[in-house]
């Protein structure tokens, strides 16, 4: 299973946030860090299909493309909401593009 976290790196201005992908192996209670990117590296969030609830999604970073699977479609939606809010709050220059996402994720705005 893959889990993901948005982690504040510092509280100083400007704040820095990262996206960390971790994996929990079956039968284990601990997590292993797989990859980590700075929020500024995120270029695109692709929900894959806005017409169905699925846990799959893709993240495109500056120099990497990564496929993700949330535990549930609801968890994916929550992650997208937090990610969108975090990007709006902390990224002043280049904000990532959210495509193929359900409108409820961005507070009713059609994406």
């Amino acid at each position: 299973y893959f889990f993901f976290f948005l982690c504040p790196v510092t509280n100083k201005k400007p704040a820095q946030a990262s996206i960390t992908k971790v994996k929990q192996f079956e039968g284990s209670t601990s997590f292993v860090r797989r990859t980590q990117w700075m929020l500024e590296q995120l270029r695109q969030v692709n929900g894959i299909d806005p017409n169905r609830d699925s846990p799959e999604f893709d993240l495109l970073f500056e120099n990497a493309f990564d496929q993700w699977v949330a535990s549930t479609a609801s968890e994916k939606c929550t992650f997208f909401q937090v990610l969108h809010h975090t990007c709006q709050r902390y990224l002043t220059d280049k904000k990532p593009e959210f495509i193929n996402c359900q409108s409820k994720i961005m507070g009713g705005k059609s994406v």
Side-chain angles (χ1 to χ4, degrees), residues 89-101:
R89 182 173 180 186
Y90 292 107
L91 297 179
T92 54
D93 296 333
K94 205 177 219 183
K95 292 180 175 56
E97 176 184 30
F98 282 74
I99 63 169
N100 299 318
C101 298

Side-chain angles (χ1 to χ4, degrees), residues 1-5 20-24 31-35 68:
Y1 299 102
F2 283 104
F3 296 86
F4 30 86
F5 302 96
T20 303
K21 186 178 190 180
V22 297
K23 183 172 184 173
Q24 183 180 33
F31 295 91
V32 177
R33 182 167 55 170
R34 304 298 275 186
T35 48
W68 296 54

Side-chain angles (χ1 to χ4, degrees), residues 17-84:
S18 64
I19 300 170
T20 303
K21 186 178 190 180
V22 297
K23 183 172 184 173
Q24 183 180 33
F25 292 96
E26 197 170 316
S28 175
T29 57
S30 61
F31 295 91
V32 177
R33 182 167 55 170
R34 304 298 275 186
T35 48
Q36 184 173 34
W37 299 271
M38 296 308 295
L39 188 62
E40 293 82 19
Q41 295 176 294
L42 183 62
R43 297 294 174 250
Q44 186 182 78
V45 177
N46 186 344
I48 299 174
D49 187 349
N51 299 317
R52 70 179 184 96
D53 285 334
S54 72
E56 296 89 14
F57 62 98
D58 299 329
L59 297 180
L60 177 65
F61 294 94
E62 224 169 59
N63 296 314
F65 169 80
D66 205 47
Q67 295 177 310
W68 296 54
V69 179
S71 296
T72 65
S74 176
E75 185 180 272
K76 170 183 149 179
C77 183
T78 301
F79 175 69
F80 279 12
Q81 289 172 331
V82 171
L83 182 58
H84 185 262

